[in-house]
Amino acid sequence: MKLSTKGRYAARAMLELAIGYGDEFLSIKEIAKREEVSERYLENIMNKLTSSGLVISLRGKNGGFRLAKKPREITLAEVINVVEGSLSPTDCVDRPEICKRVRTCVTYEIWQRLKKAMEEILNGITLEDMVQMYKKKSIKEENLEFLYYI
C-alpha cells in the first residue's frame, strides 16, 4: 500500500510548520522551497489542511500558514486522513455492505487488521514526535559531515 504524493507532501509541510511552531506564518513559497515541491500542488494540499482546521492561513505581505494547534496535539493520522481519506486498503473495510462475501472472506479480516495497524501507528505519532525525529536526524547528519571532512 502506498501513500500518494498528497499524503507525503502534507506530512512534510506540516513538519515544516511544526519545526517553526510559535514563529510567524510560513509562506507557501518557503515551504515549497524547503521541501522541494511544486507551490501549486502544495497550495491545494494546504487549502485542505486549512479547511480541516489543522492549519491557519493569513493573506497579505506577512501571510502564510501556521499550525492551528500545538504540534503535540496533531497526529500524523489526522494529517493523512485530511488529504488521503480513509486508510483502508480496500473499500470493503469501510463499507462491508458492498461485498456479499464479507462474512466468509479471509482477506477481509486481514485488510481490517492492516487498517487498524496503520491507524495505531499514525495515531501514535504527533507532529512534535516528528520534530524530535527531525532534530535527531539533523544532529546525525551534522556529525557525518564533520567526520567526512576530517
Side-chain angles (χ1 to χ4, degrees):
M1 180 162 185
K2 282 185 174 179
L3 286 177
S4 72
T5 53
K6 279 191 272 185
R8 296 191 316 268
Y9 290 0
R12 289 166 46 189
M14 292 295 277
L15 175 59
E16 286 294 337
L17 296 179
I19 290 167
Y21 181 73
D23 294 341
E24 296 178 11
F25 286 79
L26 195 55
S27 74
I28 196 85
K29 188 174 195 163
E30 188 61 32
I31 298 168
K33 180 180 172 188
R34 289 181 189 176
E35 290 302 322
E36 300 175 347
V37 300
S38 158
E39 283 182 45
R40 258 186 140 163
Y41 194 60
L42 188 57
E43 199 170 308
N44 290 328
I45 293 167
M46 296 308 290
N47 286 337
K48 285 185 176 187
L49 292 167
T50 301
S51 296
S52 74
L54 292 178
V55 171
I56 297 169
S57 66
L58 179 68
R59 293 189 182 274
K61 182 181 174 193
N62 296 319
F65 299 91
R66 75 173 184 206
L67 297 179
K69 301 187 261 183
K70 295 175 183 171
R72 72 173 175 259
E73 297 172 352
I74 301 173
T75 67
L76 189 51
E78 290 176 281
V79 175
I80 299 301
N81 283 327
V82 166
V83 295
E84 296 279 2
S86 173
L87 292 172
S88 292
T90 62
D91 290 336
C92 63
V93 172
D94 289 332
R95 299 179 327 175
E97 70 278 1
I98 67 170
C99 180
K100 63 183 178 186
R101 299 179 43 131
V102 166
R103 293 188 317 130
T104 59
C105 182
V106 173
T107 57
Y108 172 73
E109 287 182 37
I110 295 167
W111 306 147
Q112 283 182 308
R113 289 170 52 194
L114 180 59
K115 178 185 177 185
K116 183 179 178 186
M118 289 175 52
E119 286 176 338
E120 285 175 4
I121 291 168
L122 295 176
N123 277 315
I125 300 171
T126 66
L127 293 182
E128 186 173 277
D129 297 330
M130 291 175 64
V131 169
Q132 294 307 314
M133 294 166 139
Y134 168 80
K135 288 178 180 177
K136 283 181 186 175
K137 284 189 173 281
S138 295
I139 290 169
K140 284 181 184 177
E141 186 68 27
E142 287 173 14
N143 289 339
L144 286 176
E145 285 181 25
F146 178 72
L147 291 173
Y148 181 78
Y149 292 110
I150 288 180

